[in-house]
């Protein structure tokens, strides 16, 4: 916390700016897109502050950075979702989840966590199905499968029962769960019914999720430091 906390100060400030300004979504503009994306830009800087060599030599960290880049593009598209760019944003975040899943890796496999996440994802889609029509019937199914898979890989890495977890793996797990909450709220609000305080819930959980996932990228550096000390 002492080493990583100061690097996150710009992110917290940018997040505060977004919530203080609270620009209306009814009048999308490049300025509102900038304010919305600014916290994610700060997370780019957070990862880049660890050094280009670190990102180049550690694929998980570089993939999380790539995921943050696609997230920012997706955020920009969603500013203009009423103008027909919702699917574009959906595609950008689908790519983000693929990159995050790749960063979290396939070890340990943890089939129990995978089964649990499959049940949760299937239940969410079953609830949404009757509200969907046209291409969204298939697009939402694919998206839920991707974010569910990402959630599985994040949860599988924790291994609480075996005392093999680290704070960065726990950070990835909590971040993935918050991302799922954020996206489920979007889906309910977009396709089913108005969710009270939906924008606040969506953005608060989204920014927290991205911060925690970005924090998980320093896992490999922690392992290196441990090996050096031992």
């Amino acid at each position: 916390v002492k080493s990583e906390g100061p690097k996150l100060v710009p992110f917290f400030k940018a997040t505060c700016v977004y919530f203080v300004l609270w620009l209306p979504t009814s009048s999308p503009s490049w300025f509102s897109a900038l304010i919305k994306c600014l916290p994610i830009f700060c997370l780019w800087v957070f990862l880049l502050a660890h050094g280009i060599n670190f990102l180049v030599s550690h694929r998980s960290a570089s993939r999380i950075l790539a995921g943050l880049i696609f997230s920012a593009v997706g955020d920009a598209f969603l500013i203009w979702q009423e103008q027909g760019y919702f699917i574009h944003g959906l595609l950008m975040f689908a790519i983000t989840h693929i990159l995050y899943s790749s960063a979290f890796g396939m070890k340990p496999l943890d089939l129990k966590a995978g089964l649990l996440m499959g049940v949760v994802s299937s239940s969410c889609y079953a609830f949404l199905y009757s509200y969907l029509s046209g291409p969204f019937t298939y697009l939402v199914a694919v998206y839920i499968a991707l974010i569910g898979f990402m959630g599985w890989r994040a949860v599988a890495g924790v291994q609480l029962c075996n005392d093999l977890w680290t704070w960065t793996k726990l950070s990835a797990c909590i971040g993935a769960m918050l991302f799922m909450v954020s996206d489920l709220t979007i889906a309910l609000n977009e396709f089913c019914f108005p969710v009270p305080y939906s924008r606040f819930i969506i953005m608060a959980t989204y920014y927290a999720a991205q911060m925690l996932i970005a924090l998980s990228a320093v896992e490999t550096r922690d392992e290196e430091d441990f090996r050096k000390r031992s």
Side-chain angles (χ1 to χ4, degrees), residues 94-107:
I95 295 172
T96 294
H97 297 318
I98 292 172
L99 288 165
Y100 286 169
S101 299
S102 177
F104 298 150
M106 290 301 296
K107 294 180 180 180

Side-chain angles (χ1 to χ4, degrees), residues 61-97:
S62 60
R63 287 169 185 172
I64 287 175
L65 176 60
L68 289 168
I69 293 172
F70 277 98
S71 294
V73 177
D75 282 331
F77 276 130
L78 291 181
I79 287 287
W80 285 276
Q81 61 179 313
E82 299 300 327
Q83 286 71 36
Y85 288 96
F86 183 80
I87 292 180
H88 298 72
L90 197 69
L91 175 61
M92 293 299 104
F93 280 107
I95 295 172
T96 294
H97 297 318

Side-chain angles (χ1 to χ4, degrees), residues 8-205:
L8 286 170
V9 169
F11 165 80
F12 289 119
K13 289 183 177 179
T15 303
C16 289
V17 168
Y18 173 83
F19 284 108
V20 168
L21 292 181
W22 203 242
L23 298 172
T25 56
S26 57
S27 53
S29 65
W30 285 108
F31 179 70
S32 59
L34 174 63
I35 295 301
K36 184 181 182 184
C37 295
L38 192 58
I40 307 302
F41 295 159
C42 291
L43 292 177
W44 297 3
V45 175
F46 167 75
L47 289 180
L48 290 169
H50 290 84
I52 298 297
N53 291 336
F54 170 74
L55 293 172
V56 171
S57 59
H58 297 93
R59 292 182 178 180
S60 60
S62 60
R63 287 169 185 172
I64 287 175
L65 176 60
L68 289 168
I69 293 172
F70 277 98
S71 294
V73 177
D75 282 331
F77 276 130
L78 291 181
I79 287 287
W80 285 276
Q81 61 179 313
E82 299 300 327
Q83 286 71 36
Y85 288 96
F86 183 80
I87 292 180
H88 298 72
L90 197 69
L91 175 61
M92 293 299 104
F93 280 107
I95 295 172
T96 294
H97 297 318
I98 292 172
L99 288 165
Y100 286 169
S101 299
S102 177
F104 298 150
M106 290 301 296
K107 294 180 180 180
L109 194 60
D110 198 346
L111 293 178
K112 290 182 180 179
L115 179 61
L116 176 62
M117 201 57 61
V119 170
V120 172
S121 300
S122 299
S123 300
C124 290
Y125 182 70
F127 179 83
L128 292 170
Y129 181 77
S130 60
Y131 295 95
L132 302 173
S133 61
F136 284 110
T137 304
Y138 311 103
L139 291 173
V140 171
V142 173
Y143 187 86
I144 288 177
L146 289 174
I147 193 172
F149 185 83
M150 185 272 290
W152 170 31
R153 298 322 311 148
V155 171
V158 177
Q159 296 284 292
L160 286 173
C161 297
N162 299 327
D163 289 331
L164 297 176
W165 65 279
T166 61
W167 71 268
T168 46
K169 289 185 183 298
L170 186 61
S171 175
C173 177
I174 297 172
M177 295 302 101
L178 287 175
F179 216 135
M180 294 178 74
V181 170
S182 179
D183 282 357
L184 179 59
T185 307
I186 291 176
L188 292 174
N189 196 63
E190 182 73 20
F191 302 114
C192 304
F193 47 79
V195 177
Y197 308 106
S198 59
R199 186 182 172 195
F200 176 80
I201 295 170
I202 290 165
M203 297 311 299
T205 53

